[in-house]
Amino acid sequence: MMLRFRVLVRLKPGILDVQGAAVKRALDGLGFAGVNDLRIGKLVEVDVEAPDETVGRARVEEMCRKLLTNPILEDYAIELVGDLAGSRPGR
Amino acid sequence: MMLRFRVLVRLKPGILDVQGAAVKRALDGLGFAGVNDLRIGKLVEVDVEAPDETVGRARVEEMCRKLLTNPILEDYAIELVGDLAGSRPGR
């Protein structure tokens, strides 16, 4: 199966989100009222060949630990988007 | 209602994802086989005060057009995460 996963990488609670704060202030300046909080993170979408979801997820988990995220500063969540096998011809 | 939305910002198809390509190559170098594609985007999570989902979504849509995304290079998708007041499961 060719599985597409989505990794949401966020700063850990307590780590100052400088970029988010700057964007929030810019929104205030543009007149957007009622914005209570805004945080900016990273989105990684990865297509992995794996026999099933469990194996694929474990592989993405390992990528996160080894390369995709900074475990000191960041948390991450892995979501399965779907199986591409149906929509892509070939493999 | 205090609604939490998630904005997924991705490079448009056809725009070279340099960062994603670099990360994919690094994964190959670390021995991760079976990674078919990897793209890196931006995750914006925003809490907006709005009377209902339609109004809240329209507001986030306007933020995307005016500030959060670059319409020449980027596409975006807006997802409702939940109502922080409690009637929908938030995360």
Short mmCIF file of all heavy atoms in Angstrom, two decimals, chain B residues 21-62:
data_model
loop_
_atom_site.label_atom_id
_atom_site.label_comp_id
_atom_site.label_asym_id
_atom_site.label_seq_id
_atom_site.Cartn_x
_atom_site.Cartn_y
_atom_site.Cartn_z
N ALA B 21 12.26 18.43 -0.78
CA ALA B 21 13.21 17.60 -1.52
C ALA B 21 14.46 17.34 -0.67
O ALA B 21 15.00 16.23 -0.67
CB ALA B 21 13.58 18.30 -2.83
N ALA B 22 14.92 18.37 0.06
CA ALA B 22 16.10 18.21 0.90
C ALA B 22 15.84 17.20 2.02
O ALA B 22 16.68 16.35 2.33
CB ALA B 22 16.51 19.56 1.49
N VAL B 23 14.65 17.29 2.63
CA VAL B 23 14.32 16.37 3.71
C VAL B 23 14.18 14.95 3.18
O VAL B 23 14.65 13.99 3.79
CB VAL B 23 13.02 16.81 4.42
CG1 VAL B 23 12.51 15.72 5.35
CG2 VAL B 23 13.25 18.09 5.20
N LYS B 24 13.58 14.81 2.00
CA LYS B 24 13.45 13.48 1.41
C LYS B 24 14.82 12.87 1.15
O LYS B 24 15.07 11.69 1.44
CB LYS B 24 12.64 13.55 0.12
CG LYS B 24 12.34 12.16 -0.42
CD LYS B 24 11.56 12.16 -1.69
CE LYS B 24 11.41 10.72 -2.19
NZ LYS B 24 12.68 9.99 -2.28
N ARG B 25 15.74 13.67 0.67
CA ARG B 25 17.09 13.16 0.41
C ARG B 25 17.77 12.77 1.71
O ARG B 25 18.49 11.77 1.78
CB ARG B 25 17.91 14.21 -0.34
CG ARG B 25 18.87 13.55 -1.31
CD ARG B 25 19.33 14.46 -2.39
NE ARG B 25 20.02 15.63 -1.84
CZ ARG B 25 20.67 16.50 -2.61
NH1 ARG B 25 20.66 16.36 -3.91
NH2 ARG B 25 21.27 17.54 -2.07
N ALA B 26 17.56 13.57 2.75
CA ALA B 26 18.15 13.24 4.05
C ALA B 26 17.57 11.93 4.57
O ALA B 26 18.31 11.10 5.15
CB ALA B 26 17.88 14.37 5.04
N LEU B 27 16.28 11.70 4.37
CA LEU B 27 15.66 10.43 4.79
C LEU B 27 16.27 9.26 4.03
O LEU B 27 16.57 8.22 4.62
CB LEU B 27 14.14 10.46 4.58
CG LEU B 27 13.33 11.32 5.55
CD1 LEU B 27 11.86 11.35 5.12
CD2 LEU B 27 13.43 10.79 6.98
N ASP B 28 16.45 9.44 2.72
CA ASP B 28 17.12 8.39 1.92
C ASP B 28 18.48 8.08 2.51
O ASP B 28 18.85 6.93 2.70
CB ASP B 28 17.28 8.85 0.46
CG ASP B 28 15.95 8.95 -0.28
OD1 ASP B 28 14.95 8.38 0.21
OD2 ASP B 28 15.91 9.61 -1.33
N GLY B 29 19.21 9.14 2.86
CA GLY B 29 20.55 8.98 3.42
C GLY B 29 20.54 8.24 4.76
O GLY B 29 21.49 7.55 5.11
N LEU B 30 19.46 8.41 5.51
CA LEU B 30 19.34 7.72 6.80
C LEU B 30 18.85 6.28 6.63
O LEU B 30 18.69 5.55 7.61
CB LEU B 30 18.35 8.47 7.71
CG LEU B 30 18.85 9.79 8.31
CD1 LEU B 30 17.71 10.50 9.01
CD2 LEU B 30 19.99 9.54 9.29
N GLY B 31 18.57 5.89 5.39
CA GLY B 31 18.16 4.51 5.14
C GLY B 31 16.66 4.28 5.14
O GLY B 31 16.22 3.13 5.19
N PHE B 32 15.86 5.34 5.12
CA PHE B 32 14.41 5.16 5.05
C PHE B 32 14.02 4.84 3.61
O PHE B 32 14.05 5.72 2.75
CB PHE B 32 13.67 6.41 5.51
CG PHE B 32 13.67 6.60 6.99
CD1 PHE B 32 14.56 7.47 7.60
CD2 PHE B 32 12.78 5.91 7.79
CE1 PHE B 32 14.58 7.64 8.97
CE2 PHE B 32 12.78 6.07 9.17
CZ PHE B 32 13.68 6.94 9.77
N ALA B 33 13.67 3.58 3.37
CA ALA B 33 13.25 3.19 2.03
C ALA B 33 11.73 3.37 1.90
O ALA B 33 11.03 3.50 2.89
CB ALA B 33 13.64 1.75 1.76
N GLY B 34 11.26 3.39 0.69
CA GLY B 34 9.82 3.41 0.46
C GLY B 34 9.15 4.74 0.70
O GLY B 34 7.94 4.81 0.82
N VAL B 35 9.94 5.81 0.77
CA VAL B 35 9.33 7.14 0.87
C VAL B 35 9.15 7.67 -0.54
O VAL B 35 10.12 7.97 -1.23
CB VAL B 35 10.21 8.12 1.69
CG1 VAL B 35 9.56 9.48 1.73
CG2 VAL B 35 10.41 7.58 3.09
N ASN B 36 7.93 7.75 -0.97
CA ASN B 36 7.66 8.06 -2.36
C ASN B 36 7.64 9.57 -2.62
O ASN B 36 8.10 10.03 -3.64
CB ASN B 36 6.31 7.46 -2.76
CG ASN B 36 6.17 7.38 -4.25
OD1 ASN B 36 7.03 6.82 -4.91
ND2 ASN B 36 5.11 7.95 -4.77
N ASP B 37 7.12 10.30 -1.66
CA ASP B 37 6.99 11.74 -1.86
C ASP B 37 6.95 12.40 -0.50
O ASP B 37 6.46 11.81 0.46
CB ASP B 37 5.71 12.03 -2.64
CG ASP B 37 5.68 13.46 -3.18
OD1 ASP B 37 6.76 14.08 -3.24
OD2 ASP B 37 4.59 13.95 -3.53
N LEU B 38 7.46 13.60 -0.41
CA LEU B 38 7.42 14.33 0.86
C LEU B 38 7.34 15.82 0.56
O LEU B 38 8.12 16.36 -0.23
CB LEU B 38 8.69 14.02 1.68
CG LEU B 38 8.69 14.55 3.12
CD1 LEU B 38 9.43 13.61 4.04
CD2 LEU B 38 9.29 15.95 3.20
N ARG B 39 6.34 16.46 1.13
CA ARG B 39 6.16 17.89 0.92
C ARG B 39 6.06 18.60 2.27
O ARG B 39 5.48 18.07 3.22
CB ARG B 39 4.88 18.17 0.13
CG ARG B 39 4.92 17.68 -1.31
CD ARG B 39 3.53 17.47 -1.85
NE ARG B 39 2.74 16.65 -0.94
CZ ARG B 39 2.88 15.34 -0.80
NH1 ARG B 39 3.75 14.67 -1.53
NH2 ARG B 39 2.15 14.67 0.07
N ILE B 40 6.60 19.78 2.32
CA ILE B 40 6.56 20.53 3.57
C ILE B 40 5.74 21.80 3.39
O ILE B 40 5.88 22.52 2.39
CB ILE B 40 7.99 20.85 4.06
CG1 ILE B 40 8.67 19.52 4.42
CG2 ILE B 40 7.96 21.81 5.24
CD1 ILE B 40 9.99 19.65 5.09
N GLY B 41 4.85 22.02 4.32
CA GLY B 41 4.00 23.20 4.27
C GLY B 41 3.93 23.86 5.63
O GLY B 41 4.74 23.58 6.50
N LYS B 42 2.93 24.70 5.78
CA LYS B 42 2.80 25.47 7.00
C LYS B 42 1.48 25.12 7.66
O LYS B 42 0.48 24.86 6.99
CB LYS B 42 2.80 26.96 6.63
CG LYS B 42 3.55 27.85 7.59
CD LYS B 42 3.87 29.20 6.97
CE LYS B 42 2.66 29.89 6.36
NZ LYS B 42 3.00 31.18 5.73
N LEU B 43 1.49 25.09 8.98
CA LEU B 43 0.29 24.80 9.75
C LEU B 43 -0.03 26.05 10.58
O LEU B 43 0.82 26.52 11.34
CB LEU B 43 0.57 23.62 10.67
CG LEU B 43 -0.43 23.32 11.78
CD1 LEU B 43 -1.73 22.79 11.18
CD2 LEU B 43 0.14 22.29 12.75
N VAL B 44 -1.23 26.59 10.40
CA VAL B 44 -1.65 27.73 11.21
C VAL B 44 -2.88 27.30 12.00
O VAL B 44 -3.87 26.86 11.41
CB VAL B 44 -1.98 28.96 10.35
CG1 VAL B 44 -2.32 30.16 11.23
CG2 VAL B 44 -0.84 29.29 9.41
N GLU B 45 -2.83 27.42 13.31
CA GLU B 45 -3.99 27.11 14.14
C GLU B 45 -4.46 28.40 14.77
O GLU B 45 -3.68 29.10 15.42
CB GLU B 45 -3.64 26.06 15.19
CG GLU B 45 -3.54 24.68 14.57
CD GLU B 45 -3.09 23.62 15.54
OE1 GLU B 45 -2.09 23.86 16.25
OE2 GLU B 45 -3.72 22.57 15.60
N VAL B 46 -5.74 28.70 14.55
CA VAL B 46 -6.24 29.99 14.99
C VAL B 46 -7.58 29.82 15.71
O VAL B 46 -8.43 29.04 15.28
CB VAL B 46 -6.32 30.98 13.79
CG1 VAL B 46 -7.21 30.45 12.68
CG2 VAL B 46 -6.77 32.35 14.24
N ASP B 47 -7.71 30.49 16.84
CA ASP B 47 -8.96 30.47 17.60
C ASP B 47 -9.70 31.77 17.35
O ASP B 47 -9.16 32.85 17.61
CB ASP B 47 -8.68 30.33 19.10
CG ASP B 47 -7.92 29.06 19.43
OD1 ASP B 47 -7.90 28.17 18.56
OD2 ASP B 47 -7.36 28.96 20.53
N VAL B 48 -10.91 31.66 16.83
CA VAL B 48 -11.66 32.84 16.41
C VAL B 48 -13.02 32.88 17.12
O VAL B 48 -13.72 31.87 17.18
CB VAL B 48 -11.91 32.80 14.88
CG1 VAL B 48 -12.71 34.01 14.42
CG2 VAL B 48 -10.60 32.73 14.14
N GLU B 49 -13.36 34.04 17.63
CA GLU B 49 -14.68 34.25 18.22
C GLU B 49 -15.65 34.53 17.08
O GLU B 49 -15.46 35.46 16.30
CB GLU B 49 -14.61 35.45 19.17
CG GLU B 49 -15.90 35.83 19.86
CD GLU B 49 -16.40 34.75 20.81
OE1 GLU B 49 -15.58 34.25 21.60
OE2 GLU B 49 -17.60 34.42 20.75
N ALA B 50 -16.70 33.70 16.96
CA ALA B 50 -17.67 33.88 15.87
C ALA B 50 -19.02 33.30 16.30
O ALA B 50 -19.06 32.37 17.10
CB ALA B 50 -17.19 33.18 14.60
N PRO B 51 -20.11 33.84 15.75
CA PRO B 51 -21.43 33.33 16.13
C PRO B 51 -21.70 31.91 15.63
O PRO B 51 -22.45 31.16 16.24
CB PRO B 51 -22.40 34.33 15.48
CG PRO B 51 -21.62 35.02 14.42
CD PRO B 51 -20.20 35.02 14.88
N ASP B 52 -21.10 31.54 14.50
CA ASP B 52 -21.26 30.17 14.01
C ASP B 52 -20.09 29.80 13.10
O ASP B 52 -19.23 30.63 12.82
CB ASP B 52 -22.60 30.00 13.27
CG ASP B 52 -22.73 30.96 12.10
OD1 ASP B 52 -21.75 31.11 11.35
OD2 ASP B 52 -23.80 31.57 11.93
N GLU B 53 -20.10 28.57 12.63
CA GLU B 53 -18.97 28.07 11.83
C GLU B 53 -18.82 28.83 10.52
O GLU B 53 -17.70 29.13 10.09
CB GLU B 53 -19.14 26.56 11.56
CG GLU B 53 -17.96 26.01 10.78
CD GLU B 53 -18.13 24.55 10.36
OE1 GLU B 53 -18.94 23.84 10.96
OE2 GLU B 53 -17.42 24.15 9.41
N THR B 54 -19.94 29.14 9.87
CA THR B 54 -19.88 29.81 8.57
C THR B 54 -19.17 31.16 8.67
O THR B 54 -18.30 31.48 7.86
CB THR B 54 -21.31 30.01 8.01
OG1 THR B 54 -21.99 28.77 8.08
CG2 THR B 54 -21.28 30.49 6.59
N VAL B 55 -19.57 31.94 9.68
CA VAL B 55 -18.94 33.25 9.86
C VAL B 55 -17.47 33.08 10.23
O VAL B 55 -16.59 33.77 9.70
CB VAL B 55 -19.68 34.04 10.96
CG1 VAL B 55 -18.94 35.33 11.29
CG2 VAL B 55 -21.11 34.34 10.52
N GLY B 56 -17.18 32.15 11.12
CA GLY B 56 -15.79 31.92 11.54
C GLY B 56 -14.92 31.51 10.37
O GLY B 56 -13.82 32.02 10.17
N ARG B 57 -15.45 30.60 9.55
CA ARG B 57 -14.68 30.12 8.41
C ARG B 57 -14.42 31.23 7.41
O ARG B 57 -13.32 31.36 6.85
CB ARG B 57 -15.45 28.97 7.75
CG ARG B 57 -14.68 28.19 6.73
CD ARG B 57 -15.52 27.06 6.16
NE ARG B 57 -15.58 25.92 7.07
CZ ARG B 57 -14.70 24.90 7.04
NH1 ARG B 57 -13.72 24.91 6.15
NH2 ARG B 57 -14.81 23.89 7.87
N ALA B 58 -15.45 32.09 7.19
CA ALA B 58 -15.28 33.21 6.26
C ALA B 58 -14.20 34.17 6.77
O ALA B 58 -13.42 34.72 5.99
CB ALA B 58 -16.61 33.95 6.09
N ARG B 59 -14.15 34.33 8.09
CA ARG B 59 -13.14 35.22 8.66
C ARG B 59 -11.73 34.66 8.45
O ARG B 59 -10.80 35.38 8.08
CB ARG B 59 -13.44 35.38 10.17
CG ARG B 59 -13.09 36.73 10.70
CD ARG B 59 -13.78 37.02 12.01
NE ARG B 59 -15.17 37.42 11.84
CZ ARG B 59 -16.03 37.59 12.86
NH1 ARG B 59 -15.64 37.36 14.11
NH2 ARG B 59 -17.25 37.98 12.62
N VAL B 60 -11.59 33.35 8.69
CA VAL B 60 -10.28 32.72 8.51
C VAL B 60 -9.88 32.75 7.03
O VAL B 60 -8.72 33.00 6.68
CB VAL B 60 -10.30 31.27 9.05
CG1 VAL B 60 -8.98 30.56 8.76
CG2 VAL B 60 -10.58 31.28 10.55
N GLU B 61 -10.86 32.52 6.17
CA GLU B 61 -10.64 32.62 4.72
C GLU B 61 -10.06 33.99 4.35
O GLU B 61 -9.11 34.10 3.58
CB GLU B 61 -12.00 32.42 4.04
CG GLU B 61 -11.99 32.46 2.53
CD GLU B 61 -11.81 31.09 1.90
OE1 GLU B 61 -12.24 30.10 2.52
OE2 GLU B 61 -11.22 31.05 0.82
N GLU B 62 -10.65 35.04 4.94
CA GLU B 62 -10.18 36.40 4.66
C GLU B 62 -8.76 36.61 5.20
O GLU B 62 -7.93 37.25 4.54
CB GLU B 62 -11.15 37.41 5.29
CG GLU B 62 -11.04 38.79 4.68
CD GLU B 62 -11.87 39.82 5.45
OE1 GLU B 62 -12.76 39.41 6.24
OE2 GLU B 62 -11.61 41.03 5.29
#
